[in-house]
Amino acid sequence: MRAPAQYGGHQSDTRTLYEVAVELGRADGSAAWTASVYWIPTWLAGLFPDGAQAEVFSTPDVRICGTPSPTATAAPADGGIVVDGRWGFITGALHAHWQLIVAVLIRADSEPMPVMALVPMEDLTVIDDWYAAGLKGTDSVTTVAEGVFVPEERVLPLGSVFQGQSASQANAGQSIYRAPLLPVAAASSVGSVVGWPRAPWTCSSSGCPSGRSPTPPTSGRAMPR
């Protein structure tokens, strides 16, 4: 839903994301949360240079997981960076093709700088450590990078991303890619949370008590105690 239009994506607006996530959350909390998390790094991939996008979105129905946590370090290398570190709670990692990572780039001649990068899942090690009481289906596992090389075309300064600055010529003129990261992330994920408590109110016509409608309470109306 958030993939660039030039690669067959819908570039859905935030209202559409919200409405879809609410319905997914009403049916399955894990599915809703995983879809919501995928939407955020998929949108972020549209900020990268066009060559990086072409590589990522060459996979049909590509799924991109990720986290904004800077729990890794990066060192400069010829033509890119080398990353070492680990990231926890990576929702949807077991079904993703790419992960959007954040690492702190350390150079001898400058201050440390957080960067965001796109890494194929085959370059990462997945640790199966998600044994939660709820949202089990999100598979929010840990991923690890050990000396992973990332070409510079797949690396962006995190500060530019937070300010809504795109490195893509193809997407530069589109308002969807000029929004700051934090509001986009919030708008992408809130629908699933709204949908979760509606699940108990949803029932089939045959499963509802006699005389009751299968319609759940609408947004903004007080729920009966």
Side-chain angles (χ1 to χ4, degrees), residues 92-119:
L94 298 183
H95 306 286
H97 304 97
W98 292 78
Q99 180 175 329
L100 190 141
I101 66 166
V102 174
V104 178
L105 177 60
I106 300 174
R107 293 190 176 99
D109 57 350
S110 62
E111 292 292 322
M113 180 180 69
V115 295
M116 183 170 282
L118 288 161
V119 179

Side-chain angles (χ1 to χ4, degrees), residues 170-206:
N171 296 334
Q174 302 184 50
S175 59
I176 188 175
Y177 293 110
R178 293 200 298 269
L181 170 58
L182 294 182
V184 169
S188 299
S189 56
V190 68
S192 60
V193 181
V194 173
W196 294 342
R198 295 190 182 187
W201 293 87
T202 303
C203 59
S204 64
S205 298
S206 59

Side-chain angles (χ1 to χ4, degrees), residues 28-213:
D28 187 302
S30 290
W33 184 251
T34 302
S36 297
V37 170
Y38 280 158
W39 291 336
I40 301 167
T42 302
W43 170 79
L44 284 167
L47 301 177
F48 280 76
D50 298 332
Q53 292 185 55
E55 182 179 5
V56 170
F57 292 107
S58 64
T59 300
D61 300 320
V62 66
R63 293 180 293 277
I64 309 171
C65 61
T67 176
S69 301
T71 52
T73 58
D78 187 21
I81 60 174
V82 174
V83 179
D84 288 277
R86 58 194 293 146
W87 303 268
F89 308 107
I90 306 301
T91 293
L94 298 183
H95 306 286
H97 304 97
W98 292 78
Q99 180 175 329
L100 190 141
I101 66 166
V102 174
V104 178
L105 177 60
I106 300 174
R107 293 190 176 99
D109 57 350
S110 62
E111 292 292 322
M113 180 180 69
V115 295
M116 183 170 282
L118 288 161
V119 179
M121 291 305 297
E122 57 261 30
D123 289 353
L124 303 173
T125 300
V126 175
I127 299 177
D128 184 11
D129 58 358
W130 181 249
Y131 298 98
L135 295 179
K136 293 182 178 181
T138 64
D139 290 324
S140 300
V141 296
T142 296
T143 59
V144 179
E146 297 179 308
V148 173
F149 174 76
V150 184
E152 59 186 10
E153 191 173 45
R154 289 199 257 116
V155 181
L156 287 178
L158 187 59
S160 299
V161 174
F162 272 104
Q163 295 171 17
Q165 297 176 1
S166 174
S168 168
Q169 293 184 353
N171 296 334
Q174 302 184 50
S175 59
I176 188 175
Y177 293 110
R178 293 200 298 269
L181 170 58
L182 294 182
V184 169
S188 299
S189 56
V190 68
S192 60
V193 181
V194 173
W196 294 342
R198 295 190 182 187
W201 293 87
T202 303
C203 59
S204 64
S205 298
S206 59
C208 288
S210 177
R212 284 188 56 188
S213 167

